[in-house]
Amino acid sequence: MNVLLLYPLFPKSFWSFEKTLALLDRKAMLPPLGLVTVAAILPQEWKFKLVDRNVRDVTQAEWDWADLMILSAMIVQKEDLLEQIQEAKRRGKRVAVGGPYATALPHEVTDVGADYLILDEGEITLPLFIEAIARGDQSGTFRANGEKPDVTHTPIPRFDLLEFDAYAEMSVQFSRGCPFQCEFCDIIVLYGRKPRTKAPEQLLKELDYLYELGWRRSIFMVDDNFIGNKRNVKLFLKELKPWMVEHQYPFSFATEASVDLANDQELMDLMVQCNFGAVFLGIETPDEASLTLTQKHQNTRDSLSEAVNAIARSGLRVMAGFIIGFDGEKAGAGARIVQFVEQTSIPTALFSMLQALPDTALWHRLEKEGRLRTKSANINQTTLMNYVPTRPLEEIASEYVDAFWQLYDPAKFLDRAYRHYRILGEATYPKKGKGAKKPINWVTIRALLTICWRQGVVRKTRWQFWRNLGLMYRYNPGGLSSYLAVCAQIEHFVEYREIVKREINEQVAQFLAEEAKNKIEKQAEAVVV
């Protein structure tokens, strides 16, 4: 059996970083961890090839070689996923589809011709699929029916199938699930509220394999809440620490965590000692009433600004997510988010309009209230919310565009990055020795020269850039390369904020035109009656 694993395109988004990646000759931020895990679970006598369309297209030879296509995608990838299914069927290929999008909206996948749906978590449903293939079944839907797998039995992903040079970071997973119950979040729908973790030695074997394959850069722990099970994560970090020392710190790590990380100094210290450099926090909004309404109670128990500062002072760069459009939200929410980001010096602030994702508590509540504008969803930053909010949609959209524009003003971004790294410079980091230093090559030098030219010569940020760089060299020289890497992000956002402004304004204009048309039609009907 020749199996072609195909990963669809991501549209241009907050996280796509095309301009930044181009500086380092990379094609994509992260590889498709789900597909290389699928390859490890399937029979190893099958032959596998993997094509990530964010890196390159499928060749004619690969289409001809494949007996079976297996695709996986998130909701944001739906457009290309559906196109690739149709292309595969046009070529007479059998197609199996899994992942979060197919699990949430399976009918959209079958409507374009998918033969097999491998839904929920693959450790349970892939064996059912394998049995169906052995029987000669030409189609089928495979579900876990509420069962959650024990991830301690998940095999080491087939990292060898990846084109390493194409990616800025590698990805691994320690846990699935989150103990909280945020109304808008689909993670607890997909993976449950009881975090399940791999065994420490199990994940260390994955790191061993990446090390053997020659990976020596950053690794993203893709857990939606890395600290969901604090006991187990501490056990893992205590095993990881000597491994990192023994291997001379070959990797740096980043991950996602809940804000209550700030309450556990031991955990933050362990992460820093294991060379974790950054953490993404789901802050969502500084408005406590909105947090309470959406059941994100963990963000209301302590000061959010103090939590961000505590995490940064411990040595972890903070990235954070923010959302506008919660029910009952008062006017000026966008400005309050900008104020919070500036106050806490968070350089990278993911900002979106709220979306009701399929099967979430928010989705079901809005559906019951008759407020869903569409049965689909899209979590890109260029999409209007898919429901009727409690204040005018055009008001929310205007605040959103204004706030996005301010957050990614080059001068403001560079100022936040500088202030954040000055805080990070106060932390205590492990002594890694000379062996841990990454070699400098021409690509790195070229990227540095490009950043210096654009931000230090061409733009109005020129004096600010050189002043901040000099002060960084004086007060936090160890963080200089990481600081410049963050500064490089603005190369993406300068363009992306233009896209956000244009596309959101176009959608608002279309929405208002449709509203006006509907109003006229209703008035005409009333006159006729």
Side-chain angles (χ1 to χ4, degrees):
M1 175 80 76
N2 293 338
V3 179
L4 183 60
L5 303 158
L6 185 57
Y7 198 51
L9 285 170
F10 281 94
K12 187 169 286 190
S13 72
F14 184 95
W15 292 117
S16 55
F17 287 119
E18 295 92 348
K19 298 288 186 182
T20 306
L21 291 171
L23 294 174
L24 297 171
D25 285 348
R26 308 296 177 202
K27 301 293 185 181
M29 281 296 295
L30 292 167
L33 179 62
L35 282 178
V36 292
T37 304
V38 165
I41 296 172
L42 291 172
Q44 294 306 289
E45 61 268 24
W46 292 6
K47 295 178 181 178
F48 301 99
K49 291 183 180 180
L50 185 148
V51 175
D52 180 350
R53 278 183 34 84
N54 300 281
V55 173
R56 65 175 181 85
D57 206 350
V58 185
T59 65
Q60 182 61 50
E62 287 166 333
W63 279 117
D64 294 340
W65 172 85
D67 300 315
L68 172 70
M69 311 289 296
I70 297 182
L71 300 92
S72 177
M74 293 182 276
I75 290 175
V76 72
Q77 297 167 278
K78 64 179 285 185
E79 183 177 345
D80 193 54
L81 173 75
L82 300 180
E83 289 180 3
Q84 294 308 309
I85 294 172
Q86 291 172 306
E87 177 63 19
K89 294 310 297 177
R90 189 183 69 80
R91 292 172 177 267
K93 304 297 180 181
R94 285 188 292 169
V95 179
V97 185
Y101 169 52
T103 297
L105 298 165
H107 64 280
E108 294 190 8
V109 177
T110 53
D111 285 350
V112 294
D115 301 297
Y116 307 95
L117 292 184
I118 310 169
L119 308 180
D120 305 312
E121 294 182 66
E123 288 87 348
I124 292 173
T125 54
L126 280 167
L128 302 176
F129 168 69
I130 295 166
E131 291 172 6
I133 291 291
R135 289 193 303 267
D137 294 356
Q138 296 301 303
S139 63
T141 297
F142 313 99
R143 301 222 64 152
N145 299 318
E147 184 182 355
K148 302 296 181 187
D150 179 355
V151 295
T152 61
H153 299 304
T154 302
I156 296 172
R158 287 286 306 273
F159 294 118
D160 57 293
L161 295 173
L162 299 171
E163 299 177 33
F164 274 18
D165 289 343
Y167 299 102
E169 299 184 39
M170 191 47 57
S171 53
V172 299
Q173 184 182 60
F174 176 65
S175 70
R176 294 182 200 162
C178 179
F180 301 114
Q181 52 185 2
C182 308
E183 184 187 39
F184 59 87
C185 185
D186 63 344
I187 296 306
I188 53 178
V189 175
L190 292 168
Y191 302 119
R193 290 191 56 211
K194 183 178 180 181
R196 292 160 286 135
T197 69
K198 293 178 179 177
E201 61 273 16
Q202 180 184 6
L203 196 53
L204 289 181
K205 286 181 181 178
E206 293 187 21
L207 298 182
D208 278 330
Y209 189 36
L210 286 170
Y211 186 87
E212 290 169 11
L213 290 171
W215 186 262
R216 293 294 186 276
R217 301 197 304 277
S218 179
I219 294 178
F220 196 88
M221 295 272 186
V222 299
D223 307 29
D224 295 286
N225 187 358
F226 180 63
I227 65 167
N229 185 323
K230 290 185 179 180
R231 173 188 173 275
N232 284 8
V233 81
K234 286 181 181 179
L235 291 174
F236 164 62
L237 292 172
K238 288 174 182 177
E239 295 288 328
L240 176 60
K241 183 179 176 181
W243 188 97
M244 290 291 285
V245 172
E246 180 184 349
H247 292 78
Q248 295 185 307
Y249 297 87
F251 315 130
S252 60
F253 297 99
T255 193
E256 303 176 57
S258 46
V259 175
D260 59 330
L261 170 65
N263 299 328
D264 196 324
Q265 191 62 53
E266 180 194 16
L267 181 49
M268 290 188 289
D269 289 343
L270 277 170
M271 290 174 69
V272 172
Q273 289 162 14
C274 290
N275 215 27
F276 276 75
V279 61
F280 182 89
L281 308 175
I283 292 175
E284 320 313 355
T285 174
D287 295 348
E288 189 168 324
S290 293
L291 291 169
T292 300
L293 178 69
T294 199
Q295 299 183 51
K296 201 169 182 94
H297 303 295
Q298 68 271 24
N299 282 22
T300 66
R301 294 170 188 149
D302 299 289
S303 164
L304 286 172
S305 58
E306 289 180 8
V308 171
N309 289 331
I311 293 169
R313 284 196 301 269
S314 297
L316 295 166
R317 174 170 62 87
V318 173
M319 303 174 284
F322 296 89
I323 296 173
I324 192 170
F326 292 106
D327 279 4
E329 184 178 72
K330 295 180 181 178
R336 291 191 294 276
I337 286 172
V338 172
Q339 182 181 25
F340 180 87
V341 172
E342 288 294 330
Q343 175 191 346
T344 52
S345 306
I346 299 172
T348 311
L350 169 63
F351 188 35
S352 306
M353 278 189 275
L354 183 61
Q355 295 284 324
L357 297 178
D359 212 26
T360 58
L362 176 63
W363 171 279
H364 290 298
R365 176 169 69 82
L366 294 175
E367 186 177 41
K368 185 177 180 182
E369 295 171 2
R371 293 169 57 197
L372 283 177
R373 293 175 56 226
T374 171
K375 292 289 186 178
S376 190
N378 191 323
I379 54 174
N380 208 348
Q381 290 71 43
T382 54
T383 309
L384 288 180
M385 53 191 60
N386 61 343
Y387 65 95
V388 179
T390 55
R391 62 186 178 118
L393 186 148
E394 61 271 25
E395 178 183 296
I396 296 171
S398 177
E399 289 187 14
Y400 171 69
V401 170
D402 288 346
F404 206 102
W405 194 263
Q406 290 183 60
L407 287 172
Y408 287 97
D409 173 81
K412 290 184 177 180
F413 180 83
L414 292 180
D415 180 58
R416 292 199 308 273
Y418 169 71
R419 287 187 282 125
H420 200 69
Y421 271 87
R422 284 294 302 271
I423 297 171
L424 290 172
E426 300 171 7
T428 301
Y429 298 94
K431 296 188 182 301
K432 303 170 191 175
K434 293 182 179 179
K437 293 183 179 179
K438 304 296 186 293
I440 297 175
N441 54 31
W442 164 242
V443 173
T444 305
I445 294 171
R446 186 185 62 191
L448 175 60
L449 292 174
T450 303
I451 293 168
C452 290
W453 171 253
R454 292 176 183 173
Q455 300 179 18
V457 178
V458 176
R459 295 199 191 114
K460 293 179 181 179
T461 55
R462 61 184 69 90
W463 300 116
Q464 177 189 17
F465 176 81
W466 292 113
R467 181 196 67 215
N468 291 355
L469 194 63
L471 291 171
M472 272 294 299
Y473 183 77
R474 179 179 178 182
Y475 293 109
N476 185 10
L480 204 54
S481 61
S482 178
Y483 165 73
L484 286 168
V486 170
C487 289
Q489 292 179 5
I490 200 63
E491 300 307 312
H492 168 62
F493 293 125
V494 163
E495 177 188 45
Y496 191 58
R497 69 174 184 161
E498 295 273 4
I499 295 171
V500 168
K501 183 177 182 179
R502 182 181 68 252
E503 295 193 12
I504 292 296
N505 285 340
E506 287 174 355
Q507 291 172 62
V508 169
Q510 182 181 355
F511 168 78
L512 291 175
E514 290 173 357
E515 289 285 291
K517 180 182 176 183
N518 292 338
K519 185 177 180 180
I520 292 170
E521 289 175 351
K522 287 179 181 179
Q523 289 173 343
E525 289 173 4
V527 170
V528 172
V529 173

